[in-house]
Each structure stands twice: as C-alpha cells, then as structure tokens.
Amino acid sequence: MKLFAISFLLLLTGYNGHTQSLKKYAIGTSGCSAYFFCDPGTIDVAKSQDSSDVYTCECENDDMHYGTICVKLKDRITDLDNSEQVLIAYLDYLKKTVNITKSAGYGKGHHLKNNEKTRGVIDYWEDKDKASWKVTGWTDGKYIVCLYGYSLKTLNETKANVFMNSLVLPSL
C-alpha cells in the first residue's frame, strides 16, 4: 500500500515533462470523480432503458485513451453480489459494442480503496484493430462504473492502474 501511495504522489506531481499531469475531474453531475492524465472535456449524459443516468467521457494522452462510463442506477441494488453480476453483464455488453475479439477473463474479488462495500472486476481485452485494453468495473449498488484504457501501442500499465484506481464514489 505504501508503494502505491508513493507512486500515486509521484504521478500527481507530473508523469514527465511533456505529459499532462494527473488531475481530478468530476464525471458530470453523477457525484463520481476520477483522476485523468488528459482533459475528458464535455461529459455526455443519456438515459438507459431503465431510466438510469449514464455519464460517458474519453480523452487521449501519449497514445493512450482513458474513458469512463458511469451509471447512476435508478434503483439501488442492495445485494453486492447481485450488483457485481449486473456489472459483469454490463461489461459483457460493452465488449460487443467496442468490438472486442479477445479477453483474458474477469478477475473478481476487488474492493475500491479496500472498501468492503464495493465490488470490482478487472479484465484485459483486445479489439478488432488489435488495440490493447485494460478495463476495471466498480459497483457499490448505487453506481456501476467502468474505467478503461486502451492503446494501439504498448499499454502503459502503471498509468492505467493509477487512473482506474482513482475512482471516487459519492456514497463512500
């Protein structure tokens, strides 16, 4: 944990001279936020079929794309195991929409910032254009949030991890 904290602080001060430093951005009016290496610009907002609010954004820095899909659930899912299953179903849906051709398989059992009131999954994907993806999904029963990074070049695992672990949920 200390190593992560030190790494995170180093990244906060600037990854290198020509790269935009890490900066916290609100994910629209969802109440969620995350630290990005680039300005995600305008957050798109839409309604899902069940009338949940869906906030999306993406930006690019140093050949790496960073994005979030934040779903503020209309109806809270009180059982976290069920919420995790809904999260996985959503990630399966996303695989189809972004033309994923390969996946490593979901790594389960993660907790956002060691908070037992959350569930998280991690996966690695490859799309039809051979871009490498790292995806994390988080839920607390009130939100389902997917953070992803992808690149046609080598995926920068360190920067992807910092971004994906920076999610802040308002309910925690």
Side-chain angles (χ1 to χ4, degrees), residues 97-102 126-131 133 152:
T97 63
V98 297
N99 300 307
I100 298 303
T101 58
K102 294 180 187 176
E126 182 177 283
D127 66 24
K128 67 177 176 78
D129 298 324
K130 304 289 186 210
W133 293 62
L152 283 168

Side-chain angles (χ1 to χ4, degrees), residues 27 34-36 38 40 55-60 64-70 133-136 145-150 163-164:
I27 303 172
Y35 285 85
F36 285 80
C38 45
Y55 302 84
T56 59
C57 63
E58 183 174 306
C59 59
E60 182 181 4
M64 179 118 163
H65 297 257
Y66 300 91
T68 63
I69 303 167
C70 176
W133 293 62
K134 181 171 184 178
V135 179
T136 59
V145 184
C146 171
L147 294 98
Y148 60 87
Y150 68 92
F163 167 65
M164 291 177 198

Side-chain angles (χ1 to χ4, degrees), residues 84-103:
E84 181 181 61
Q85 290 306 312
V86 171
L87 168 63
I88 289 170
Y90 190 71
L91 291 173
D92 286 341
Y93 165 77
L94 288 177
K95 280 185 197 177
K96 294 175 186 170
T97 63
V98 297
N99 300 307
I100 298 303
T101 58
K102 294 180 187 176
S103 65

